[in-house]
Amino acid sequence: MSLVLHENLSLQPYNTFGVDVRARLFAEARSDAEVYEALSVATARGLPLLVIGGGSNLLLTRDVEALVVRMATRGIRILADDGEKVLLEAEAGEPWHPLVLWALEQGLGGLENLSLIPGTVGAAPMQNIGAYGVELKDVFAGLTALDRQTGELREFALQDCQFAYRDSLFKREAGRWLILRVRFNLSRAPRLHLDYGPVRQRLQSEGIDAPTPMDVSRAICAIRSEKLPDPAVLGNAGSFFKNPLVPAELAQRLRGEYQDLVAYPQADGQVKLAAGWLIERAGWKGFREGDAGVHRLQALVLVNYGSATGSQLHGLAQRIRADIVKRFGVELEMEPNLI
Ligand code: EPU
């Protein structure tokens, strides 16, 4: 038994918003055995268990009356390699971007579009992380999770996970599944995804005609760094709202009013709107009240300039939501988990 327990610990270093609330009890789990130990401790103390990864998708609005367990398991391994296709497995506590770099350094492509996303491997399937035309589900090979209801391990294949835009079974059944390790289908000859946003343009401007996965990763890091604040410098949780899906009629009506509306028609007939565009258009970009604000370069990102509380950030988010409903008739859904 080696789990180290901390009473009444500040969670400020463990959430990328940098919100200063306390956990009644805190521990880092470095092995499966410590994960099981944490479950026993929580039961023995009569506390709920809150499992966190990099804390990059969390909004903490008050002290957490729970045992907060930060997944700190490490390990990356190749399970199968036929010379072209490679099956990679990583422990839940591995930080995401270093995993992407590790794979690229081994000559393995597939994760490059997901470069520089904050967070951990275990959190990635929760909201099916995605960027620049690729989602986790596109490279997902499987995962092992602990069913907290029964204490049993369960293997999940792609079709079991109900992955959708920023959504999964694990998010829908919040608190039930504790993801221990995730497997990825990677390739030494990957098909590159260059069509989304400014990726191809960036590569061309650098004179790269036949990009490697590493080139794509570098381009995406550069694009992200230009617009998205580094949580180490300015507290934030990435996109604060999902891009909303609306009926085609509403999108058409809005287009009539706003010619520059950013809208992406979906296969099912709905239309995805750029929430950042709506929020900017409503005048919130760069807004600041106390230490809670809307980023000046990307309106989809709420930021903590220093000592904003979770409630202040949440209050700002609610005001933005209400304003977007009033102006456009569109409901925005929060992306981070509200605790
Ligand atoms: N836009 C504005 N104003 C803004 C922000 C965006 O008008 O302040 C417009 C842009 O001009 C563009 C469109 O909205 O036409 C889309 O913007 P962008 O390409 O920056 O992407 P996004 O829709 O704002 C989504 C993801 C990001 C991901 C990027 C790139 C969501 C909620 N967000 O953002 O994911 O990196 O696409 O694929 O889907 C995250 O989830 O934390 C995240 C950063």
Side-chain angles (χ1 to χ4, degrees):
M1 291 287 172
S2 46
L3 196 70
V4 180
L5 296 168
H6 303 269
E7 305 269 351
N8 203 29
L9 187 88
S10 169
L11 291 174
Q12 195 166 31
Y14 301 107
N15 73 96
T16 59
F17 259 126
V19 165
D20 189 11
V21 296
R22 283 174 185 272
R24 169 80 175 281
L25 207 55
F26 175 90
E28 290 190 316
R30 299 180 186 282
S31 63
D32 285 8
E34 289 189 357
V35 170
Y36 284 108
E37 199 188 334
L39 284 171
S40 318
V41 170
T43 309
R45 297 258 201 138
L47 287 172
L49 189 72
L50 174 66
V51 178
I52 64 171
S56 54
N57 203 41
L58 272 187
L59 180 58
L60 300 161
T61 53
R62 57 177 125 104
D63 289 345
V64 187
E65 278 298 310
L67 166 56
V68 177
V69 174
R70 192 179 86 94
M71 291 299 286
T73 50
R74 302 299 293 263
I76 303 174
R77 57 196 78 88
I78 288 173
L79 298 181
D81 184 349
D82 72 1
E84 187 192 334
K85 303 258 175 277
V86 171
L87 179 65
L88 188 80
E89 182 176 71
E91 296 295 320
E94 283 289 341
W96 179 261
H97 181 62
L99 171 77
V100 174
L101 291 181
W102 187 93
L104 291 170
E105 277 154 18
Q106 316 301 308
L108 303 176
L111 302 177
E112 52 280 356
N113 291 46
L114 304 176
S115 294
L116 217 57
I117 295 182
T120 55
V121 164
M126 284 284 173
Q127 55 154 351
N128 180 30
I129 58 170
Y132 303 100
V134 174
E135 290 183 341
L136 176 87
K137 69 171 170 53
D138 303 323
V139 286
F140 181 84
L143 66 77
T144 307
L146 177 66
D147 183 348
R148 286 168 52 185
Q149 286 176 3
T150 64
E152 280 165 12
L153 289 185
R154 175 147 158 216
E155 299 298 326
F156 286 84
L158 178 62
Q159 64 273 17
D160 305 323
C161 300
Q162 298 174 22
F163 286 129
Y165 169 59
R166 296 294 191 274
D167 199 19
S168 72
L169 170 78
F170 314 105
K171 187 166 172 180
R172 271 176 236 154
E173 297 187 357
R176 174 162 182 194
W177 301 104
L178 201 162
I179 295 171
L180 294 174
R181 51 193 69 86
V182 184
R183 292 173 290 283
F184 306 92
N185 287 320
L186 303 184
S187 171
R188 294 188 203 282
R191 192 168 68 82
L192 299 179
H193 299 267
L194 308 176
D195 291 330
Y196 189 94
V199 180
R200 199 184 292 274
Q201 211 178 314
R202 178 103 203 177
L203 288 163
Q204 273 166 3
S205 75
E206 287 170 6
I208 300 169
D209 302 323
T212 62
M214 189 68 98
D215 292 329
V216 176
S217 172
R218 282 202 197 98
I220 282 171
C221 288
I223 294 167
R224 289 186 70 102
S225 307
E226 276 171 11
K227 269 199 177 175
L228 293 167
D230 177 354
V233 180
L234 183 61
N236 75 91
S239 299
F240 195 88
F241 298 104
K242 293 190 194 181
N243 286 329
L245 285 165
V246 302
E249 306 79 70
L250 175 56
Q252 214 173 339
R253 183 147 49 77
L254 289 171
R255 166 83 76 208
E257 219 172 316
Y258 308 96
Q259 274 83 48
D260 58 338
L261 180 79
V262 181
Y264 314 93
Q266 304 293 295
D268 63 2
Q270 296 192 90
V271 177
K272 192 187 265 187
L273 300 181
W277 183 92
L278 297 170
I279 298 168
E280 176 172 352
R281 191 65 195 224
W284 289 98
K285 196 172 185 172
F287 176 87
R288 177 173 176 172
E289 186 173 67
D291 273 352
V294 179
H295 194 239
R296 60 187 182 85
L297 300 176
Q298 166 50 291
L300 205 42
V301 177
L302 297 196
V303 293
N304 177 5
Y305 286 100
S307 55
T309 64
S311 300
Q312 286 165 345
L313 289 159
H314 188 228
L316 173 57
Q318 297 292 50
R319 283 173 60 195
I320 294 171
R321 286 189 64 194
D323 191 37
I324 299 302
V325 171
K326 199 175 85 198
R327 284 174 195 263
F328 305 106
V330 176
E331 291 270 359
L332 293 183
E333 195 187 325
M334 254 179 79
E335 199 184 288
N337 298 317
L338 184 70
I339 308 289

